[in-house]
Amino acid sequence: MGASGVMAQRQAYDVIIVGARCAGSATAMLMARRGHSVLLLDADRFPSDFEASTHLLWQSGAARLAKWGLLDRLRETGCPSIRKITLDLAVMSLEGNAPAADGIDEAFCPRRLVLDELLLEAAQEAGVEFHQESRVRELIMQDGRVHGVRWTTADGGTEEATCRMLIGADGASSPVAKMVDAPVLDEHPRHEGIIWAYFDNFPAEGMEFYSRPRRMLMVYPTNNGQSLVGSCVHQEDYAEVAREADTRMLEEFEALAPSLAARTRQATQSSRWLTRSTKGFRRQATGPGWALVGDAGLTMDPITAAGISNAFRDADLLSAAVHDGLAAGADIDAVVARFQDERDAVSIPLYEFAKESSKLEPPPQPIMDLFGALPGQQDAIDQYFGVFAQTVPVSEFFAEANFVRIMSGQSQTA
């Protein structure tokens, strides 16, 4: 009930979405642009940062922003575009860029305070009704199907609304997923954790990775002239390094990548060291009256930095399925259920690739041989980066025919 003790009048929407970050705001915007009434709820107050993110938006994700008419808005925030990727393997260094997605050959690393606000503004411009500081407490059920939600407001009141479809976009620990008892279809333990900070005056030329035993160091240029500098740390070492990050991080840079350490020393650290470690999992994506999008339904190990690009992809897929489902009337759940197959078809290969990469173990000899054959074959190097950017399918790059082509040097650019 509200502060006066009277529950607010129940309202009805086509769609209620819980979670207003990347997946939630994007899905809300796309549903509203299709003419549906949308209520968007989030427990946080906006604008606000989201620290549990390394922020990378690959070419595939940037292409969706372009399709939605929002990429120029991101550019206008001063977030630099990234067209150069460097992978330092200690014994060799590979440079290139991922193949373009729908003509977009740029990646970006926006601060979440910037990106989330941009998406939320676009959703509201499309007609989405947004309530912040609204924490969903209970589902409204009817005939075994989700029919709406009740939530508490910032002033301690209670409100409720009904919907034809509830979408949980509320992150890896999704309360909506727990309320609907969404089955976990696959999961794996934490293999590594990420430790990072932001630096002013850090000279960065594009995106940088330094692959070392039990580590993957990284540099991304981001908003406000800053760079994100950090490391993926093997899970056995993660807790200790995170606890002593103020001293251990620079020590590790000195030992593993002296040139990176030198630039870090010359720069000015503008944040504390931030940490994140998460297990990967895949939940059932839909059920009677509900669906899950973004990390609520599928969380990959962050070593591939695929989270935001995945969220945009799945927002596209789910909004199309829900739109068709709403038109189907009584068959809405059967129509929306296609989203699971569509999501899994494109995500499981990268999910498995991320799981193996996150172990931070030396690659098997055939993969080492493949890396050894890459120098001088620029199109093959770019293809490999395209696996991460989701512009080259995992199965295509690691296909036997492509492997043979690279090993024979036939992919060398003329």
Side-chain angles (χ1 to χ4, degrees), residues 20-21 41-50 113 116-117 120 130-135 153-155:
R21 298 289 177 180
L41 305 172
D42 199 288
D44 286 344
R45 183 170 182 81
F46 286 73
S48 59
D49 208 353
F50 184 65
L113 182 66
D116 293 357
E117 186 67 10
L120 181 56
F130 173 56
H131 293 189
Q132 60 186 341
E133 296 183 281
S134 298
R135 190 175 300 276
T153 61
D155 62 2

Side-chain angles (χ1 to χ4, degrees), residues 7 135-141 146 148-152 158-161 166 179:
M7 183 173 291
R135 190 175 300 276
V136 172
R137 299 295 188 185
E138 185 180 1
L139 302 179
I140 300 171
M141 304 295 297
V146 175
V149 293
R150 295 188 181 92
W151 68 92
T152 55
T158 299
E159 297 188 16
E160 64 178 42
L166 173 68
M179 290 178 187

Side-chain angles (χ1 to χ4, degrees), residues 300-378:
M300 290 187 187
D301 187 282
I303 195 167
T304 55
I308 299 175
S309 299
N310 287 350
F312 289 175
R313 177 202 66 207
D314 291 350
D316 244 347
L317 293 174
L318 180 59
S319 60
V322 173
H323 172 70
D324 291 346
L326 290 169
D331 295 328
I332 180 172
D333 293 331
V335 174
V336 173
R338 82 182 193 214
F339 167 64
Q340 170 131 357
D341 291 338
E342 293 172 340
R343 179 199 71 178
D344 289 354
V346 293
S347 65
I348 287 179
L350 188 62
Y351 173 89
E352 295 294 334
F353 178 73
K355 178 170 66 174
E356 291 304 310
S357 300
S358 70
K359 295 177 182 178
L360 295 172
E361 296 176 349
Q365 192 59 48
I367 300 301
M368 293 295 292
D369 294 340
L370 181 69
F371 279 124
L374 284 174
Q377 302 191 67
Q378 192 61 55

Side-chain angles (χ1 to χ4, degrees), residues 58-60 82-85 95-101 104-107 207 378-379 381-392:
W58 291 100
Q59 283 84 347
S60 56
I82 301 172
R83 288 189 172 93
K84 178 182 177 182
I85 306 172
E95 292 185 1
N97 192 19
I104 303 299
D105 65 352
E106 304 160 274
M207 190 188 312
Q378 192 61 55
D379 62 334
I381 294 171
D382 292 345
Q383 266 197 335
Y384 178 68
F385 292 144
V387 170
F388 296 86
Q390 299 186 51
T391 58
V392 176

